[in-house]
């Protein structure tokens, strides 16, 4: 095995590293439809909304950079490369795209909520338009308009 020029690697494995290998040396592997490279519509049909959020998640993995985020970024890029070589490997890119899209969605929502909170803090509550002061519970007012102690036990027995 070590004396062979491919060092024991199969034709499918070598076609991952060199996409032209199978078409040059093993045409039977190149003729199988699932070993062909996918077109962009395959990515769109398989990944849907994750296709838009995955690049955002990839960028967010580098702020701040940790071991876990670096692993996810490398996993995403390598699986994207391998899925571009062979249609069958769209199954490999889907989990990476989902994880990166989740991080991307989280970053988008964090920025949006921060912007809304900043706007609410800057502009404050809307001005009071006048009118009656709403009743506050706990200061003697009740919802039925009676104060504390009113209407309770006022019935006298006739006798």
């Amino acid at each position: 095995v070590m004396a062979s020029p491919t060092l024991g690697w199969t034709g499918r494995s070598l076609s991952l590293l060199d996409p032209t290998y199978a078409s040059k040396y093993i045409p039977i592997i190149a003729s199988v439809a699932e070993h062909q490279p996918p077109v962009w519509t395959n990515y769109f049909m398989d990944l849907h909304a994750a296709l838009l959020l995955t690049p955002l998640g990839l960028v967010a993995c580098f702020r701040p950079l940790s071991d876990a985020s670096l692993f996810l970024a490398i996993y995403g890029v390598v699986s994207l490369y391998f899925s571009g070589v062979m249609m069958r490997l769209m199954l490999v890119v889907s989990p990476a795209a989902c994880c990166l899209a989740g991080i991307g969605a989280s970053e988008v929502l964090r920025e949006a909520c921060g912007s809304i909170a900043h706007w609410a803090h800057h502009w404050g509550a809307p001005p009071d338009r006048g009118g009656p002061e709403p009743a506050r519970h706990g200061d003697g007012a009740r919802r039925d308009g009676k104060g504390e102690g009113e209407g309770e036990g006022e019935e006298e027995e006739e006798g």
Side-chain angles (χ1 to χ4, degrees):
V1 172
M2 295 307 284
S4 73
T6 61
L7 301 174
W9 286 63
T10 64
R12 287 183 189 169
S13 301
L14 288 173
S15 67
L16 288 177
L17 300 176
D18 180 12
T20 62
Y21 178 82
S23 62
K24 288 179 188 175
Y25 302 108
I26 311 171
I28 191 72
I29 291 177
S31 67
V32 177
E34 65 184 15
H35 294 163
Q36 298 298 317
V39 293
W40 70 270
T41 54
N42 294 115
Y43 287 99
F44 182 74
M45 295 298 290
D46 289 347
L47 300 177
H48 298 289
L51 188 64
L52 299 174
L53 294 171
T54 298
L56 295 173
L58 185 63
V59 170
C61 279
F62 292 103
R63 310 178 359 209
L65 188 62
S66 67
D67 290 343
S69 64
L70 181 63
F71 172 77
L72 187 57
I74 291 172
Y75 173 46
V77 170
V78 169
S79 66
L80 184 64
Y81 169 76
F82 285 146
S83 72
V85 171
M86 192 180 293
M87 173 86 70
R88 167 187 272 176
L89 296 177
M90 288 293 289
L91 294 172
V92 174
V93 78
S94 296
C98 288
C99 291
L100 289 170
I103 292 172
S106 173
E107 290 297 317
V108 166
L109 289 174
R110 179 181 300 156
E111 291 296 323
C113 290
S115 177
I116 291 170
H118 174 74
W119 179 82
H121 178 68
H122 178 69
W123 292 101
D128 188 19
R129 303 273 186 221
E133 180 76 21
R136 293 190 177 96
H137 298 288
D139 61 356
R142 292 182 10 178
R143 288 185 186 220
D144 59 2
K146 297 179 180 178
E148 287 184 12
E150 295 178 21
E152 297 177 8
E154 292 182 7
E155 299 172 7
E156 294 183 19
E157 294 181 22
E158 293 181 24

